[in-house]
Amino acid sequence: MTPKAANFADDPSKAEWIRHRERGSMTLLRIMAFVSLRLGRTVSRIPLYGIAVYFFLFAPDARRHSRRFLRLALNRAPRARDRFRQILSFATTIHDRVFLVNEQFHLFNITLEGESLMRAQSDSGRGALLMGAHMGSFEVMHSLGRRRRGLQVTMAMYAENARKINAVLAAIKPHPVPDIVSLGRIDAMLHIAERLDRGAFIGVLGDRTLGSEPTQAVTLLGERAYLPTGPMRAAAILRCPVFFMAGLYRGKNNYHVVFVPVADFSTTPAGTRNMAVRAAIERYAAVLDQYCRSDPYNWFNFYDFWRAQHGVSGT
């Protein structure tokens, strides 16, 4: 890690998930990808259980935050097997990324909910924002290319995350060609607008803040949480529809991809934009709440998600 990156991680004004140093290495990821592609998914899954046991035993902070989330999502005290299942689901989606990025979709049973909505949006010739969360797997989106050729999906993320994602993809697949727009740059909105005009879908994660941008207070699992307003404001400025998207892992080789309409800013007057953005964030939080309850083991925010953020918060 460079000194600049280290300072970025240690900055107390940043959100906890940024300051938390991730474990693992690109070398380990390359080895995992090499072995997995040669042994196949079934055999190469065996070490996941050992990895999950290690983190279950030796990651006390993640264990504490997992316990709090599961208590809210399950509406009961989580058992040890509940907490282990969440960690194993996380490890599984990371492992499956190797096969999904390398387009081995035949290994999975992938079902879609809301596919007709996406087809109608694609047929309109205008793209949309796919607002996901750190929940399940975004890589299953690549499987949609089998059903609809020419479908473009672009990820929009901040430069630090873009660098990490590019490094991960390079470790998994030697010559990936990811389409990623780095947010925080002057021309970012222009690049996103250009892709929307071409009919592309822009994927963005709407559940985490950087710790210093404006947020809106919402109710999630019965407690107050703070969501960034930036992604939804960008959608309003770009006058595009917004869909909630999640690739939910449901055991064995099963994934269920959901698309749920959240907002459509295509005809929203500038004078009512702020109100529409607030309503859209509330809607996003309600849909996220729904899937946290129905698929709790897909929640991969292993930090104090409900802690008040540093940014300006709504009420």
Side-chain angles (χ1 to χ4, degrees):
M1 178 178 290
T2 64
K4 182 178 180 181
N7 291 338
F8 184 81
D10 294 336
D11 187 345
S13 70
K14 302 300 181 183
E16 181 181 349
W17 68 271
I18 294 176
R19 291 183 283 112
H20 176 74
R21 300 182 187 277
E22 296 181 0
R23 304 186 184 192
S25 69
M26 290 300 107
T27 299
L28 181 61
L29 193 55
R30 290 188 185 95
I31 293 173
M32 183 184 77
F34 179 85
V35 172
S36 298
L37 291 173
R38 278 150 186 80
L39 295 182
R41 183 177 184 268
T42 300
V43 174
S44 61
R45 270 178 57 80
I46 295 174
L48 294 184
Y49 290 87
I51 294 171
V53 168
Y54 173 83
F55 279 96
F56 181 81
L57 295 175
F58 300 109
D61 288 342
R63 185 166 62 243
R64 183 174 67 257
H65 299 316
S66 169
R67 186 183 291 110
R68 180 184 183 188
F69 165 78
L70 289 172
R71 185 180 294 111
L72 295 173
L74 298 173
N75 198 29
R76 61 171 171 80
R79 304 179 181 92
R81 66 171 175 264
D82 293 313
R83 292 183 283 116
F84 181 77
R85 182 176 173 184
Q86 185 187 17
I87 295 172
L88 183 60
S89 295
F90 182 44
T92 298
T93 59
I94 294 175
H95 179 241
D96 285 344
R97 182 181 295 175
V98 172
F99 303 100
L100 292 165
V101 168
N102 283 279
E103 300 180 355
Q104 296 190 14
F105 305 122
H106 63 281
L107 298 175
F108 303 96
N109 175 37
I110 302 174
T111 56
L112 272 74
E113 180 180 339
E115 182 179 10
S116 60
L117 296 174
M118 301 305 293
R119 286 185 177 275
Q121 186 61 43
S122 180
D123 289 341
S124 74
R126 173 72 170 162
L129 200 71
L130 302 180
M131 190 170 294
H134 289 80
M135 188 176 198
S137 170
F138 193 86
E139 279 72 26
V140 295
M141 271 294 298
H142 295 296
S143 68
L144 296 184
R146 290 186 306 168
R147 299 170 181 257
R148 194 171 188 83
R149 295 295 177 186
L151 180 68
Q152 290 181 286
V153 179
T154 297
M155 281 300 296
M157 60 185 69
Y158 286 95
E160 180 71 7
N161 281 349
R163 182 190 63 78
K164 291 179 181 179
I165 290 294
N166 279 325
V168 168
L169 291 175
I172 293 175
K173 189 175 181 180
H175 302 290
V177 186
D179 189 11
I180 298 177
V181 174
S182 293
L183 299 177
R185 297 175 50 174
I186 297 176
D187 58 352
M189 291 288 279
L190 293 176
H191 287 303
I192 292 175
E194 177 187 1
R195 285 163 174 77
L196 288 171
D197 290 339
R198 294 204 310 255
F201 292 97
I202 309 297
V204 63
L205 299 175
D207 60 332
R208 290 184 183 178
T209 75
L210 293 175
S212 56
E213 80 259 42
T215 60
Q216 178 174 320
V218 298
T219 299
L220 184 64
L221 298 178
E223 296 198 7
R224 174 164 290 195
Y226 297 87
L227 299 178
T229 61
M232 204 67 77
R233 288 191 181 280
I237 293 171
L238 292 166
R239 294 183 174 275
C240 67
V242 179
F243 295 86
F244 174 88
M245 178 270 169
L248 303 168
Y249 175 64
R250 291 186 168 173
K252 296 183 179 179
N253 68 333
N254 300 307
Y255 282 89
H256 184 62
V257 181
V258 297
F259 297 104
V260 181
V262 171
D264 188 349
F265 296 104
S266 301
T267 59
T268 302
T272 62
R273 183 177 295 162
N274 288 340
M275 186 183 301
V277 166
R278 291 188 61 81
I281 293 174
E282 291 285 353
R283 166 67 173 160
Y284 169 80
V287 178
L288 183 59
D289 183 288
Q290 172 188 337
Y291 287 104
C292 283
R293 296 178 189 277
S294 67
D295 295 82
Y297 306 110
N298 280 261
W299 178 261
F300 302 146
N301 282 305
F302 294 100
Y303 70 99
D304 191 1
F305 187 84
W306 281 267
R307 190 179 69 174
Q309 305 296 320
H310 294 286
V312 178
S313 301
T315 58

